[in-house]
Amino acid sequence: MPLPHPPQSTPAPSAAEEDMLFRLLRQVDTAPEATQRATAQALGISLGRLNTLLRSTAEKGLINISARDGPDKRQRYAYAITARGAALKNKLIDQFLKRKFAEYEALHAELTGTTSGLVPFKSRTQIMQNNLAPIPELYVSYDSAQKLKVEAADLVSWDLTPRQICDLELLMNGGFNPLKGFLSEEDYNGVVENMRLADGSLWPMPINLDVDEEFASKLEEGQDIALRDQEGVILATMTITDNWVPNKAREAEKVFGADDDAHPAVNYLHNQAGKVYLGGPVTGIQQPVHYDFRARRDTPNELRAYFRKMGWRKVVAFQTRNPLHRAHQELTFRAAREAQANLLIHPVVGMTKPGDVDHFTRVRCYEAVLDKYPQATTSMSLLNLAMRMAGPREAVWHGLIRANHGCTHFIVGRDHAGPGKNSAGEDFYGPYDAQDLFREHQDEIGIEMIDFKHMVYVQERAQYEPNDEIKDKDDVTILNISGTELRRRLAEGLEIPEWFSFPEVVRELRRTKPPRSKQGFTVFFTGFSGSGKSTIANALMVKLMEMGGRPVTLLDGDIVRKNLSSELGFSKEHRDLNIRRIGYVASEITKNGGIAICAPIAPYATTRRAVREDVEQFGAFVEIHVATSIEECERRDRKGLYKLAREGKIKEFTGISDPYDVPANPELSVETENVEVDNCAHQVLLKLESMGLISGSWA
Ligand code: PPS
C-alpha cells in the first residue's frame, strides 16, 4: 500500500514560482559558497526577495542555512542543499525543460509562423543530435556531496546488495533515465502490468529497493535513508515515499513470463530478494567504486562526450555477456557497416547469468578482439548492469539503456537475454520474441534495432556469411560450433579451430578454464542422518587422495557443526546458514583448484540450489543423493538419535519431525541398502570420470 500523502495545506505553486525554486536549488547546489549578492544576481532578483525565498525554502526542508563565523560580513550564512532539495531539483528539471520548450515553441511560432520542428527530449524520437546532448543525472555537485555525506552519516542506513549497487549506479548516472529513484508502488504496478510508468513512459523492468520486513517496519513516509555499499561507503540518500509488500508471483508471471524458479530472476525474486519494496527518489552522492578496468567504464554522459569528441553521429551498440568469437566480430562489423555507423562493444560486467565466464576473463578477450576491427571505428565500454535474463522485456530495457548511453542503433539477436530452459525443459521465450517486442516499441525507445543475423562459416569460401543469405547451401560445407559444444571442448581440453575463434581469445579462455580434469570441483552429498553420507564421503576422500593431483577437503556435517557452526541449532534459518557456510567454503576450495567433499543433511532444495550457484561460478557441483530410506536410517540408528527424536527428546529431527526435500535432479543417487560402502564410493568415482573431472586411469 502506498503511504498516505501529507495533507496539502498550501496552494500549488505557480509555474513562475516553480521555476524560481528550481533556479535557487540549482544555484545552492552548484555554488554553495557564493555570496548572497552573487546568488541574487544569478537569479535576477533583489537581495530582499532572495532572503524571503531562502527562508521559505529552508522551512520546507529543501536547503539548510547555518551561521558562519568569519571576517567576511557578506558571507554570514552558509547554504547547503538537502537530500530532499536535491531530489526535488531533479524532478523539477523535466518540468522546467517542458515549460521552456513550450515557451520556445510559442516564440518560434510568433516569429516565423511555423513550428520549430524540434521534439522535446522526453519522447526522444528521430532527432539524432539528441544522442549527443548530456542527459540528467541524479548526482549533486561535488561540494554538496561532501556536505550531504556528513549529514547522511546520521541517517538510518541500508547496506545495498550487489544487485542493488548495480541498479543504483545506473539510476544515478542516467543509465536508467527517466527514473529518478527506486520505483513507487504506482510506477511498479504500471511497469509490471503494461511496461509503463505512471506518467505513461515506457519502462519494462521493475527497479525496486527490496528489503527485509524488519528494516521496512522501522521506516516512515518522507524519511531519508542512506544507501551504503558493502564496505559501508555512503553512495546516495533516498527519500522513502512508498513501502509495500509486492505480489511476487504476479511480478514473475508478467515480467519474466512464468512463476518458475528455473528462471534465474524468478529464483532471485523468491529466494534472495527481500519481502518488502521501498520506493522513492534518490540523491546521488558518489559513484560505486570500481578498481578493475577503470579506463573502460563510462557513464552515459562520458560516452556521449566521447561520441561528440570523435564526431560519431551514429553508433551501433552490441550487448553481450559472452566472450566474442569470429562470428560476433563479423556480425557486429557488418551491422555497423550497414548502418554506416561506428560500433560500441558494450558488454555487461555487473551481474549476468549464473555460470557465465567471469567478466575479468571476458574483458581480456574483448580487448584482444578490438584489434581486429578497422582502426578508430570501434570502441568498447563496460556496463555495470545487473541483467535479469528477461528476454523480450530485457531487450527493450537494454535498448532504453543504450539510448541513454548515446547510441543510435542496437543489435538484437536470436533469443536475446534468454534464461535457458524452464522446469519442463522448454524455452521460456520464442527465439524472436525479443525482436518482435523491440520492433513494436522502437520509436519510443529512441534507438533503431538491427536484428541479428545468424552467422555461419562457409568452409569453401573461408568466410562467415548470414545463414539466410547463403543461396548454395547444398553445395557448400557450413560449419558452426554451438555454445554448449564450445564449453565441452574447453572443459575437455579439445581443439578449438581458428575459423571459430581468435587464438588470443582461446588462450585467455583456457588460462581461466583449464580442462575439467585440472579444475576444482565440489561433491555434495545430501540425505537423512545415518543414511551413510559420511561413510561414503570418507571412502571417496581416501580414493581421491590416493589418485593425487588436487588437494581434497572433507566438510562433513558433524565436523562443520563443531568447527564452523558451533553456535547453530536445527531451525530452518540455522540449517540454511549452516549450508550456506559450507557452500561458501566449498566454492572457495573449488575456485582455488581443490576438491571439496560436503556431507551435510542439507534438507532444503532452495538452499542446495543456492550453494550450487555459488560453486558453479568456479567449477562443477556434483550433487549426490544418498537415498537410504528413513525407515532404514531409523532401523540402523547408529547414534541413537532417532529413538530420542521419536520420544520427542530431540525436536525438529529431519525425516521424523522436520522436512526433507528429496533432490529432483541430482547428478547421482546412490542406494546403500545391501550395497558395500566401497561400491557406493566407486559409483561416485565413475560419475566423476564421466563428467571429465578425473581421468580414466584410476580404475
Ligand atoms: S543440516 O540440516 O544440514 O544443517 O544438518 P547437519 O549439519 O548435516 O546435521 C549434522 C548432524 O546433526 C545431528 N542432529 C540432527 N540432525 C537432524 N535434525 C536434528 N534435529 C538434529 N539434531 C542433531 C545428526 O546426527 C546429523 O548427523 P549426520 O551426520 O547427518 O548423521
Side-chain angles (χ1 to χ4, degrees):
M1 215 185 45
L3 294 162
H5 289 287
Q8 293 269 310
S9 53
T10 42
S14 69
E17 282 166 344
E18 250 181 16
D19 277 4
M20 185 50 73
L21 179 59
F22 168 67
R23 286 169 190 267
L24 178 74
L25 291 174
R26 188 187 53 185
Q27 195 64 22
V28 173
D29 179 22
T30 52
E33 301 300 323
T35 61
Q36 278 205 26
R37 186 173 299 282
T39 306
Q41 251 168 21
L43 299 179
I45 55 175
S46 68
L47 265 176
R49 170 105 198 272
L50 175 69
N51 265 315
T52 318
L53 195 56
L54 284 170
R55 238 176 294 122
S56 67
T57 313
E59 275 161 17
K60 289 183 203 136
L62 302 171
I63 60 171
N64 281 334
I65 304 181
S66 50
R68 185 202 315 249
D69 298 329
D72 189 344
K73 288 235 159 42
R74 292 167 310 166
Q75 283 189 296
R76 271 189 302 161
Y77 297 104
Y79 305 97
I81 196 162
T82 61
R84 196 166 310 173
L88 180 64
K89 189 196 88 179
N90 285 332
K91 200 173 127 207
L92 289 177
I93 288 176
D94 284 347
Q95 275 160 252
F96 187 79
L97 281 175
K98 214 188 276 170
R99 209 158 29 240
K100 289 293 147 197
F101 183 81
E103 282 171 18
Y104 170 77
E105 267 307 276
L107 184 63
H108 196 281
E110 191 186 321
L111 296 175
T112 65
T114 61
T115 56
S116 69
L118 293 174
V119 180
F121 175 70
K122 267 198 108 184
S123 73
R124 286 186 304 190
T125 44
Q126 273 101 40
I127 298 183
M128 288 307 175
Q129 287 86 327
N130 274 347
N131 73 306
L132 300 177
I135 60 160
E137 299 184 348
L138 304 183
Y139 291 112
V140 288
S141 70
Y142 178 78
D143 286 344
S144 299
Q146 302 316 307
K147 291 188 179 153
L148 267 186
K149 206 169 188 167
V150 176
E151 283 170 26
D154 294 332
L155 298 176
V156 171
S157 65
W158 173 252
D159 295 337
L160 296 157
T161 62
R163 175 152 119 179
Q164 291 168 345
I165 293 179
C166 291
D167 286 352
L168 180 65
E169 177 167 347
L170 285 156
L171 277 173
M172 294 194 295
N173 70 18
F176 285 171
N177 186 51
L179 304 194
K180 300 282 183 248
F182 289 100
L183 296 186
S184 67
E185 185 176 8
E186 197 187 1
D187 282 332
Y188 166 81
N189 288 334
V191 167
V192 169
E193 295 304 321
N194 53 24
M195 306 209 304
R196 298 210 173 258
L197 301 172
D199 72 0
S201 317
L202 180 70
W203 189 265
M205 197 57 68
I207 304 294
N208 298 97
L209 192 73
D210 57 286
V211 299
D212 55 75
E213 286 159 308
E214 197 198 332
F215 182 78
S217 69
K218 292 189 296 210
L219 303 174
E220 285 170 13
E221 182 208 357
Q223 183 174 345
D224 292 333
I225 61 169
L227 303 179
R228 295 176 188 262
D229 72 8
Q230 298 197 316
E231 269 86 54
V233 177
I234 299 176
L235 302 179
T237 63
M238 171 179 173
T239 307
I240 309 296
T241 58
D242 295 66
N243 176 339
W244 77 104
V245 176
N247 180 343
K248 290 190 175 180
R250 178 88 185 153
E251 179 178 336
E253 286 284 352
K254 296 291 291 182
V255 179
F256 304 111
D259 190 9
D260 180 342
D261 275 10
H263 192 299
V266 176
N267 179 43
Y268 186 96
L269 185 66
H270 288 308
N271 302 316
Q272 265 176 276
K275 281 204 165 54
V276 183
Y277 284 179
L278 302 179
V282 156
T283 300
I285 292 178
Q286 70 166 72
Q287 297 194 42
V289 185
H290 299 289
Y291 297 106
D292 55 336
F293 308 113
R294 278 186 193 216
R296 290 282 187 199
R297 294 178 185 264
D298 305 283
T299 65
N301 279 327
E302 282 164 351
L303 270 185
R304 286 166 174 251
Y306 176 76
F307 300 154
R308 281 201 299 276
K309 180 169 153 190
M310 301 302 284
W312 289 13
R313 308 227 127 225
K314 291 191 200 172
V315 184
V316 177
F318 181 61
Q319 135 86 33
T320 181
R321 42 171 265 268
N322 287 312
L324 295 189
H325 302 295
R326 278 186 202 271
H328 303 107
Q329 197 268 342
E330 189 66 32
L331 127 91
T332 49
F333 182 60
R334 271 173 184 256
R337 208 170 44 195
E338 267 170 37
Q340 300 192 327
N342 290 92
L343 178 66
L344 178 73
I345 309 287
H346 208 198
V348 171
V349 295
M351 291 168 77
T352 62
K353 200 173 153 196
D356 280 348
V357 177
D358 70 89
H359 81 267
F360 298 102
T361 310
R362 283 191 287 120
V363 175
R364 290 195 298 271
C365 292
Y366 301 138
E367 291 194 322
V369 178
L370 268 190
D371 291 344
K372 317 287 175 196
Y373 292 94
Q375 234 185 356
T377 60
T378 303
S379 189
M380 193 231 324
S381 178
L382 308 180
L383 181 67
N384 199 41
L385 173 71
M387 288 180 72
R388 315 297 209 249
M389 312 309 300
R393 277 197 183 224
E394 182 114 1
V396 171
W397 188 40
H398 287 175
L400 286 164
I401 295 169
R402 273 34 185 245
N404 284 333
H405 282 77
C407 303
T408 55
H409 294 71
F410 183 58
I411 301 175
V412 181
R414 189 184 175 283
D415 193 26
H416 186 98
K421 305 272 185 219
N422 64 19
S423 45
E426 292 151 5
D427 288 333
F428 276 93
Y429 316 116
Y432 297 105
D433 287 1
Q435 292 184 353
D436 293 344
L437 192 70
F438 200 105
R439 203 168 288 116
E440 210 177 294
H441 296 285
Q442 173 160 295
D443 283 351
E444 236 179 317
I445 301 171
I447 197 166
E448 209 172 298
M449 174 170 74
I450 302 190
D451 39 17
F452 182 102
K453 320 266 180 304
H454 182 50
M455 305 292 288
V456 289
Y457 187 74
V458 181
Q459 193 174 31
E460 284 75 5
R461 293 194 277 275
Q463 64 179 14
Y464 276 90
E465 295 176 16
N467 194 25
D468 53 0
E469 286 176 25
I470 303 173
K471 302 272 181 290
D472 50 354
K473 279 210 179 85
D474 292 340
D475 307 324
V476 292
T477 319
I478 294 176
L479 300 177
N480 196 15
I481 291 183
S482 68
T484 316
E485 172 62 8
L486 173 68
R487 276 191 290 277
R488 188 185 76 86
R489 290 189 186 212
L490 281 172
E492 292 175 22
L494 303 176
E495 193 229 337
I496 293 164
E498 277 220 24
W499 63 261
F500 177 77
S501 194
F502 303 100
E504 299 90 328
V505 172
V506 175
R507 204 175 312 127
E508 272 309 329
L509 292 177
R510 285 207 201 282
R511 218 153 61 101
T512 347
K513 276 241 172 262
R516 275 195 149 184
S517 60
K518 295 209 166 64
Q519 282 174 28
F521 64 90
T522 292
V523 181
F524 193 95
F525 290 97
T526 167
F528 291 120
S529 170
S531 57
K533 300 180 303 287
S534 310
T535 322
I536 306 172
N538 267 299
L540 177 69
M541 176 175 73
V542 172
K543 284 176 190 284
L544 287 169
M545 287 167 93
E546 185 187 342
M547 285 163 54
R550 280 173 286 197
V552 189
T553 309
L554 178 60
L555 297 164
D556 186 46
D558 284 335
I559 303 174
V560 169
R561 282 200 172 262
K562 211 170 283 159
N563 296 300
L564 268 184
S565 297
S566 54
E567 85 286 19
L568 299 184
F570 288 86
S571 63
K572 172 160 194 321
E573 197 190 353
H574 278 194
R575 288 180 196 258
D576 281 351
L577 197 53
N578 181 39
I579 300 306
R580 294 304 296 252
R581 286 178 187 171
I582 295 177
Y584 171 72
V585 177
S587 71
E588 287 294 309
I589 292 171
T590 305
K591 178 168 85 184
N592 293 306
I595 300 174
I597 304 176
C598 314
I601 298 175
Y604 297 106
T606 45
T607 327
R608 294 195 298 259
R609 174 172 170 157
V611 172
R612 177 184 288 274
E613 281 179 10
D614 286 349
V615 170
E616 282 184 346
Q617 297 173 64
F618 308 114
F621 180 83
V622 188
E623 185 176 349
I624 297 180
H625 180 208
V626 182
T628 318
S629 65
I630 190 75
E631 294 76 24
E632 173 66 13
C633 294
E634 191 168 1
R635 200 185 52 72
R636 293 180 193 165
D637 203 5
R638 293 220 320 230
K639 298 181 188 167
L641 296 177
Y642 281 92
K643 182 168 173 288
L644 296 176
R646 285 284 178 208
E647 290 166 7
K649 290 186 182 142
I650 303 180
K651 304 265 175 287
E652 300 173 313
F653 198 85
T654 308
I656 303 294
S657 45
D658 222 41
Y660 179 80
D661 303 339
V662 174
N665 292 307
E667 272 70 12
L668 181 70
S669 186
V670 288
E671 303 291 335
T672 62
E673 288 160 53
N674 307 320
V675 186
E676 293 282 309
V677 174
D678 207 48
N679 181 283
C680 294
H682 194 82
Q683 286 179 48
V684 179
L685 284 178
L686 283 172
K687 184 72 203 171
L688 298 179
E689 193 206 333
S690 74
M691 293 175 73
L693 294 167
I694 53 177
S695 64
S697 53
W698 55 276

